[in-house]
Amino acid sequence: MVTLTLRPDQPFNLDHTLSCGQVFRWEQRNGWWYGVVGERVLKVRQERDTLTFHGAGRKFFRDYFQLDADLPKIHNSIDRDPVIHAAIEAYRGLRIVWQPPWECTLSYLCATYSNIPIIRKRIELLSHQFGDEVWFEGVRFYTFPSPEQLSSHCCDQLNGCKLGYRAPYLHETACRLGREPGWEEKVASLPYEEARHYLRTLKGIGPKAADCILLFAFQKYEAFPVDVWIRRIVERHYPQYATYHKGDVNERIRQFGMDFFGPYAGYAQEYLFCAREKLSLD
DNA sequence: AACCAGGTCATGA
DNA sequence: TCATGACATGGT
């Protein structure tokens, strides 16, 4: 067991961070959050300024939860209007988690044209079917399957995981990235637009999924993923977006979001997404 | 029973 | 380049 005392000037809220829909494999059980990240099973809880965790050391948790990122500075940089201001107030302490690229890519392949509970189910089924067993406190967990573990099966076998028409996308991505082991370093080293272009060469990864992957796995915080919710929020609360004319509606909203919110537009997007239920959208 | 969900692809003008 | 329809699945 390890504990970590949070600095008073650096807000962190574990519940907001894990329940906002950026990660899909964390579950809250009797006061603790359990999750599988990479090869490890992790267990965390927060009591005010104290984080208690099992399964990895301090450095892992600092990196994973981005505890060294200057969140007040990020808040200030995106706090441009009353709508985002209220979202920041409501979800202060939400941090963008640093996800493993491979799992993040497959997760957002599963996420297209779907909803969060079903995305979680698909990812759980994939891990159960093709991942490795890991035991933790007498409970069995499964790691997320590697490219090899997925590509060694055919599409039909993958489709046991309720992937629907996405099964061939996952399969092709597993085959290709399995043969391209340097892809993570390559994407990480590329500037945002070029990295985005590369990810979009994967079948099934469009503008929105690419932006989620860049934001959640590659720390490209300028990325502003546009899904149906963000689209509704922007159309309702940020009519200025209409001054942008290049591309389709989602592309115009993306351009607006990046310009309006700046280098941490992705944080703004995440706070708005979390606040989607509270914002009027008619 | 229609309609929707953290969209993307292929097609056609 | 942009709009349009198909697409698997499960929940409401």
Side-chain angles (χ1 to χ4, degrees), chain A residues 87-109:
Chain A
I88 294 168
E89 287 290 298
Y91 295 99
R92 185 175 297 283
L94 186 162
R95 285 170 185 261
I96 291 180
V97 164
W98 192 5
Q99 299 189 35
W102 163 250
E103 175 176 345
C104 185
T105 300
L106 275 278
S107 297
Y108 283 92
L109 261 177

PDB file of all heavy atoms in Angstrom, chain A residues 87-109:
ATOM      1  N   ALA A  87     -18.728  24.488 -15.947  1.00  0.00           N
ATOM      2  CA  ALA A  87     -18.292  23.092 -16.059  1.00  0.00           C
ATOM      3  C   ALA A  87     -17.031  22.857 -15.234  1.00  0.00           C
ATOM      4  O   ALA A  87     -16.886  21.822 -14.573  1.00  0.00           O
ATOM      5  CB  ALA A  87     -18.062  22.732 -17.532  1.00  0.00           C
ATOM      6  N   ILE A  88     -16.125  23.815 -15.262  1.00  0.00           N
ATOM      7  CA  ILE A  88     -14.900  23.688 -14.463  1.00  0.00           C
ATOM      8  C   ILE A  88     -15.237  23.676 -12.977  1.00  0.00           C
ATOM      9  O   ILE A  88     -14.708  22.873 -12.207  1.00  0.00           O
ATOM     10  CB  ILE A  88     -13.923  24.843 -14.775  1.00  0.00           C
ATOM     11  CG1 ILE A  88     -13.419  24.751 -16.221  1.00  0.00           C
ATOM     12  CG2 ILE A  88     -12.750  24.822 -13.807  1.00  0.00           C
ATOM     13  CD1 ILE A  88     -12.677  25.999 -16.689  1.00  0.00           C
ATOM     14  N   GLU A  89     -16.146  24.575 -12.581  1.00  0.00           N
ATOM     15  CA  GLU A  89     -16.576  24.612 -11.184  1.00  0.00           C
ATOM     16  C   GLU A  89     -17.154  23.265 -10.759  1.00  0.00           C
ATOM     17  O   GLU A  89     -16.847  22.734  -9.701  1.00  0.00           O
ATOM     18  CB  GLU A  89     -17.648  25.694 -10.992  1.00  0.00           C
ATOM     19  CG  GLU A  89     -17.110  27.106 -11.039  1.00  0.00           C
ATOM     20  CD  GLU A  89     -16.266  27.420  -9.818  1.00  0.00           C
ATOM     21  OE1 GLU A  89     -16.808  27.380  -8.702  1.00  0.00           O
ATOM     22  OE2 GLU A  89     -15.054  27.687  -9.995  1.00  0.00           O
ATOM     23  N   ALA A  90     -18.011  22.704 -11.616  1.00  0.00           N
ATOM     24  CA  ALA A  90     -18.730  21.481 -11.265  1.00  0.00           C
ATOM     25  C   ALA A  90     -17.797  20.277 -11.193  1.00  0.00           C
ATOM     26  O   ALA A  90     -18.042  19.355 -10.411  1.00  0.00           O
ATOM     27  CB  ALA A  90     -19.847  21.227 -12.269  1.00  0.00           C
ATOM     28  N   TYR A  91     -16.760  20.264 -12.014  1.00  0.00           N
ATOM     29  CA  TYR A  91     -15.903  19.065 -12.111  1.00  0.00           C
ATOM     30  C   TYR A  91     -14.438  19.362 -11.814  1.00  0.00           C
ATOM     31  O   TYR A  91     -13.541  18.648 -12.275  1.00  0.00           O
ATOM     32  CB  TYR A  91     -16.067  18.412 -13.493  1.00  0.00           C
ATOM     33  CG  TYR A  91     -17.475  17.898 -13.682  1.00  0.00           C
ATOM     34  CD1 TYR A  91     -18.417  18.635 -14.403  1.00  0.00           C
ATOM     35  CD2 TYR A  91     -17.876  16.713 -13.084  1.00  0.00           C
ATOM     36  CE1 TYR A  91     -19.727  18.185 -14.536  1.00  0.00           C
ATOM     37  CE2 TYR A  91     -19.177  16.262 -13.205  1.00  0.00           C
ATOM     38  CZ  TYR A  91     -20.094  16.990 -13.933  1.00  0.00           C
ATOM     39  OH  TYR A  91     -21.379  16.541 -14.045  1.00  0.00           O
ATOM     40  N   ARG A  92     -14.214  20.410 -11.030  1.00  0.00           N
ATOM     41  CA  ARG A  92     -12.851  20.776 -10.638  1.00  0.00           C
ATOM     42  C   ARG A  92     -12.117  19.543 -10.115  1.00  0.00           C
ATOM     43  O   ARG A  92     -12.674  18.767  -9.340  1.00  0.00           O
ATOM     44  CB  ARG A  92     -12.904  21.846  -9.553  1.00  0.00           C
ATOM     45  CG  ARG A  92     -11.570  22.407  -9.148  1.00  0.00           C
ATOM     46  CD  ARG A  92     -11.756  23.547  -8.153  1.00  0.00           C
ATOM     47  NE  ARG A  92     -12.488  24.679  -8.756  1.00  0.00           N
ATOM     48  CZ  ARG A  92     -11.937  25.556  -9.592  1.00  0.00           C
ATOM     49  NH1 ARG A  92     -10.654  25.466  -9.909  1.00  0.00           N
ATOM     50  NH2 ARG A  92     -12.662  26.528 -10.103  1.00  0.00           N
ATOM     51  N   GLY A  93     -10.902  19.343 -10.564  1.00  0.00           N
ATOM     52  CA  GLY A  93     -10.140  18.196 -10.103  1.00  0.00           C
ATOM     53  C   GLY A  93     -10.131  17.048 -11.099  1.00  0.00           C
ATOM     54  O   GLY A  93      -9.382  16.089 -10.954  1.00  0.00           O
ATOM     55  N   LEU A  94     -10.972  17.151 -12.121  1.00  0.00           N
ATOM     56  CA  LEU A  94     -10.923  16.157 -13.194  1.00  0.00           C
ATOM     57  C   LEU A  94      -9.606  16.333 -13.959  1.00  0.00           C
ATOM     58  O   LEU A  94      -9.279  17.435 -14.401  1.00  0.00           O
ATOM     59  CB  LEU A  94     -12.106  16.375 -14.139  1.00  0.00           C
ATOM     60  CG  LEU A  94     -12.339  15.356 -15.251  1.00  0.00           C
ATOM     61  CD1 LEU A  94     -13.751  15.488 -15.775  1.00  0.00           C
ATOM     62  CD2 LEU A  94     -11.368  15.519 -16.416  1.00  0.00           C
ATOM     63  N   ARG A  95      -8.868  15.279 -14.090  1.00  0.00           N
ATOM     64  CA  ARG A  95      -7.628  15.309 -14.866  1.00  0.00           C
ATOM     65  C   ARG A  95      -7.707  14.326 -16.021  1.00  0.00           C
ATOM     66  O   ARG A  95      -8.369  13.296 -15.911  1.00  0.00           O
ATOM     67  CB  ARG A  95      -6.410  14.974 -13.992  1.00  0.00           C
ATOM     68  CG  ARG A  95      -6.018  16.106 -13.082  1.00  0.00           C
ATOM     69  CD  ARG A  95      -4.995  15.734 -12.045  1.00  0.00           C
ATOM     70  NE  ARG A  95      -4.789  16.872 -11.157  1.00  0.00           N
ATOM     71  CZ  ARG A  95      -3.764  17.727 -11.259  1.00  0.00           C
ATOM     72  NH1 ARG A  95      -2.815  17.552 -12.157  1.00  0.00           N
ATOM     73  NH2 ARG A  95      -3.678  18.750 -10.424  1.00  0.00           N
ATOM     74  N   ILE A  96      -7.055  14.653 -17.101  1.00  0.00           N
ATOM     75  CA  ILE A  96      -6.998  13.735 -18.235  1.00  0.00           C
ATOM     76  C   ILE A  96      -5.935  12.690 -17.949  1.00  0.00           C
ATOM     77  O   ILE A  96      -4.764  13.016 -17.721  1.00  0.00           O
ATOM     78  CB  ILE A  96      -6.740  14.495 -19.545  1.00  0.00           C
ATOM     79  CG1 ILE A  96      -7.978  15.328 -19.891  1.00  0.00           C
ATOM     80  CG2 ILE A  96      -6.384  13.523 -20.671  1.00  0.00           C
ATOM     81  CD1 ILE A  96      -7.877  16.132 -21.159  1.00  0.00           C
ATOM     82  N   VAL A  97      -6.387  11.443 -17.926  1.00  0.00           N
ATOM     83  CA  VAL A  97      -5.513  10.311 -17.610  1.00  0.00           C
ATOM     84  C   VAL A  97      -4.584  10.039 -18.792  1.00  0.00           C
ATOM     85  O   VAL A  97      -4.945  10.272 -19.936  1.00  0.00           O
ATOM     86  CB  VAL A  97      -6.406   9.078 -17.317  1.00  0.00           C
ATOM     87  CG1 VAL A  97      -5.617   7.800 -17.369  1.00  0.00           C
ATOM     88  CG2 VAL A  97      -7.108   9.232 -15.973  1.00  0.00           C
ATOM     89  N   TRP A  98      -3.380   9.541 -18.485  1.00  0.00           N
ATOM     90  CA  TRP A  98      -2.423   9.182 -19.538  1.00  0.00           C
ATOM     91  C   TRP A  98      -2.585   7.706 -19.857  1.00  0.00           C
ATOM     92  O   TRP A  98      -2.096   6.838 -19.165  1.00  0.00           O
ATOM     93  CB  TRP A  98      -1.006   9.493 -19.079  1.00  0.00           C
ATOM     94  CG  TRP A  98       0.011   9.424 -20.168  1.00  0.00           C
ATOM     95  CD1 TRP A  98      -0.209   9.209 -21.498  1.00  0.00           C
ATOM     96  CD2 TRP A  98       1.425   9.598 -20.021  1.00  0.00           C
ATOM     97  NE1 TRP A  98       0.964   9.240 -22.191  1.00  0.00           N
ATOM     98  CE2 TRP A  98       1.990   9.472 -21.307  1.00  0.00           C
ATOM     99  CE3 TRP A  98       2.265   9.840 -18.931  1.00  0.00           C
ATOM    100  CZ2 TRP A  98       3.361   9.585 -21.533  1.00  0.00           C
ATOM    101  CZ3 TRP A  98       3.627   9.954 -19.151  1.00  0.00           C
ATOM    102  CH2 TRP A  98       4.165   9.829 -20.448  1.00  0.00           C
ATOM    103  N   GLN A  99      -3.307   7.394 -20.911  1.00  0.00           N
ATOM    104  CA  GLN A  99      -3.635   6.007 -21.230  1.00  0.00           C
ATOM    105  C   GLN A  99      -2.576   5.358 -22.109  1.00  0.00           C
ATOM    106  O   GLN A  99      -1.951   6.018 -22.916  1.00  0.00           O
ATOM    107  CB  GLN A  99      -4.974   5.937 -21.982  1.00  0.00           C
ATOM    108  CG  GLN A  99      -6.147   6.478 -21.212  1.00  0.00           C
ATOM    109  CD  GLN A  99      -7.465   6.194 -21.910  1.00  0.00           C
ATOM    110  OE1 GLN A  99      -7.635   5.156 -22.541  1.00  0.00           O
ATOM    111  NE2 GLN A  99      -8.389   7.126 -21.805  1.00  0.00           N
ATOM    112  N   PRO A 100      -2.434   4.021 -21.993  1.00  0.00           N
ATOM    113  CA  PRO A 100      -1.561   3.284 -22.917  1.00  0.00           C
ATOM    114  C   PRO A 100      -2.132   3.376 -24.334  1.00  0.00           C
ATOM    115  O   PRO A 100      -3.324   3.124 -24.532  1.00  0.00           O
ATOM    116  CB  PRO A 100      -1.623   1.844 -22.407  1.00  0.00           C
ATOM    117  CG  PRO A 100      -2.170   1.924 -21.018  1.00  0.00           C
ATOM    118  CD  PRO A 100      -3.020   3.152 -20.965  1.00  0.00           C
ATOM    119  N   PRO A 101      -1.302   3.727 -25.322  1.00  0.00           N
ATOM    120  CA  PRO A 101      -1.783   4.001 -26.682  1.00  0.00           C
ATOM    121  C   PRO A 101      -2.548   2.847 -27.336  1.00  0.00           C
ATOM    122  O   PRO A 101      -3.590   3.066 -27.950  1.00  0.00           O
ATOM    123  CB  PRO A 101      -0.506   4.309 -27.462  1.00  0.00           C
ATOM    124  CG  PRO A 101       0.429   4.834 -26.432  1.00  0.00           C
ATOM    125  CD  PRO A 101       0.122   4.087 -25.173  1.00  0.00           C
ATOM    126  N   TRP A 102      -2.030   1.647 -27.199  1.00  0.00           N
ATOM    127  CA  TRP A 102      -2.680   0.532 -27.897  1.00  0.00           C
ATOM    128  C   TRP A 102      -4.115   0.311 -27.392  1.00  0.00           C
ATOM    129  O   TRP A 102      -5.069   0.256 -28.163  1.00  0.00           O
ATOM    130  CB  TRP A 102      -1.840  -0.749 -27.731  1.00  0.00           C
ATOM    131  CG  TRP A 102      -2.599  -1.997 -28.045  1.00  0.00           C
ATOM    132  CD1 TRP A 102      -3.004  -2.945 -27.161  1.00  0.00           C
ATOM    133  CD2 TRP A 102      -3.066  -2.416 -29.329  1.00  0.00           C
ATOM    134  NE1 TRP A 102      -3.700  -3.929 -27.808  1.00  0.00           N
ATOM    135  CE2 TRP A 102      -3.752  -3.629 -29.137  1.00  0.00           C
ATOM    136  CE3 TRP A 102      -2.979  -1.883 -30.610  1.00  0.00           C
ATOM    137  CZ2 TRP A 102      -4.341  -4.328 -30.184  1.00  0.00           C
ATOM    138  CZ3 TRP A 102      -3.577  -2.571 -31.652  1.00  0.00           C
ATOM    139  CH2 TRP A 102      -4.245  -3.774 -31.439  1.00  0.00           C
ATOM    140  N   GLU A 103      -4.240   0.205 -26.073  1.00  0.00           N
ATOM    141  CA  GLU A 103      -5.568  -0.008 -25.498  1.00  0.00           C
ATOM    142  C   GLU A 103      -6.496   1.166 -25.801  1.00  0.00           C
ATOM    143  O   GLU A 103      -7.685   0.981 -26.086  1.00  0.00           O
ATOM    144  CB  GLU A 103      -5.461  -0.214 -23.984  1.00  0.00           C
ATOM    145  CG  GLU A 103      -6.823  -0.305 -23.338  1.00  0.00           C
ATOM    146  CD  GLU A 103      -6.768  -0.599 -21.834  1.00  0.00           C
ATOM    147  OE1 GLU A 103      -5.695  -1.016 -21.354  1.00  0.00           O
ATOM    148  OE2 GLU A 103      -7.791  -0.404 -21.170  1.00  0.00           O
ATOM    149  N   CYS A 104      -5.957   2.366 -25.761  1.00  0.00           N
ATOM    150  CA  CYS A 104      -6.762   3.555 -26.032  1.00  0.00           C
ATOM    151  C   CYS A 104      -7.272   3.536 -27.475  1.00  0.00           C
ATOM    152  O   CYS A 104      -8.446   3.816 -27.738  1.00  0.00           O
ATOM    153  CB  CYS A 104      -5.925   4.805 -25.781  1.00  0.00           C
ATOM    154  SG  CYS A 104      -6.851   6.335 -25.934  1.00  0.00           S
ATOM    155  N   THR A 105      -6.407   3.158 -28.394  1.00  0.00           N
ATOM    156  CA  THR A 105      -6.795   3.103 -29.810  1.00  0.00           C
ATOM    157  C   THR A 105      -7.932   2.113 -30.022  1.00  0.00           C
ATOM    158  O   THR A 105      -8.945   2.415 -30.655  1.00  0.00           O
ATOM    159  CB  THR A 105      -5.580   2.699 -30.665  1.00  0.00           C
ATOM    160  OG1 THR A 105      -4.550   3.670 -30.469  1.00  0.00           O
ATOM    161  CG2 THR A 105      -5.945   2.633 -32.135  1.00  0.00           C
ATOM    162  N   LEU A 106      -7.770   0.912 -29.477  1.00  0.00           N
ATOM    163  CA  LEU A 106      -8.830  -0.092 -29.640  1.00  0.00           C
ATOM    164  C   LEU A 106     -10.106   0.325 -28.925  1.00  0.00           C
ATOM    165  O   LEU A 106     -11.213   0.089 -29.417  1.00  0.00           O
ATOM    166  CB  LEU A 106      -8.347  -1.451 -29.108  1.00  0.00           C
ATOM    167  CG  LEU A 106      -7.541  -2.329 -30.063  1.00  0.00           C
ATOM    168  CD1 LEU A 106      -8.488  -3.089 -30.999  1.00  0.00           C
ATOM    169  CD2 LEU A 106      -6.560  -1.524 -30.903  1.00  0.00           C
ATOM    170  N   SER A 107      -9.965   0.966 -27.771  1.00  0.00           N
ATOM    171  CA  SER A 107     -11.140   1.392 -27.027  1.00  0.00           C
ATOM    172  C   SER A 107     -11.977   2.360 -27.848  1.00  0.00           C
ATOM    173  O   SER A 107     -13.201   2.247 -27.908  1.00  0.00           O
ATOM    174  CB  SER A 107     -10.731   2.070 -25.713  1.00  0.00           C
ATOM    175  OG  SER A 107     -10.058   1.153 -24.889  1.00  0.00           O
ATOM    176  N   TYR A 108     -11.317   3.297 -28.508  1.00  0.00           N
ATOM    177  CA  TYR A 108     -12.081   4.285 -29.270  1.00  0.00           C
ATOM    178  C   TYR A 108     -12.498   3.753 -30.637  1.00  0.00           C
ATOM    179  O   TYR A 108     -13.398   4.308 -31.265  1.00  0.00           O
ATOM    180  CB  TYR A 108     -11.357   5.631 -29.295  1.00  0.00           C
ATOM    181  CG  TYR A 108     -11.559   6.311 -27.953  1.00  0.00           C
ATOM    182  CD1 TYR A 108     -10.636   6.130 -26.917  1.00  0.00           C
ATOM    183  CD2 TYR A 108     -12.715   7.012 -27.685  1.00  0.00           C
ATOM    184  CE1 TYR A 108     -10.868   6.671 -25.656  1.00  0.00           C
ATOM    185  CE2 TYR A 108     -12.962   7.567 -26.439  1.00  0.00           C
ATOM    186  CZ  TYR A 108     -12.038   7.390 -25.433  1.00  0.00           C
ATOM    187  OH  TYR A 108     -12.282   7.908 -24.179  1.00  0.00           O
ATOM    188  N   LEU A 109     -11.904   2.653 -31.073  1.00  0.00           N
ATOM    189  CA  LEU A 109     -12.479   1.927 -32.214  1.00  0.00           C
ATOM    190  C   LEU A 109     -13.805   1.291 -31.803  1.00  0.00           C
ATOM    191  O   LEU A 109     -14.759   1.258 -32.574  1.00  0.00           O
ATOM    192  CB  LEU A 109     -11.510   0.826 -32.672  1.00  0.00           C
ATOM    193  CG  LEU A 109     -10.623   1.118 -33.871  1.00  0.00           C
ATOM    194  CD1 LEU A 109      -9.678  -0.057 -34.120  1.00  0.00           C
ATOM    195  CD2 LEU A 109     -11.454   1.403 -35.103  1.00  0.00           C
TER     196      LEU A 109
END
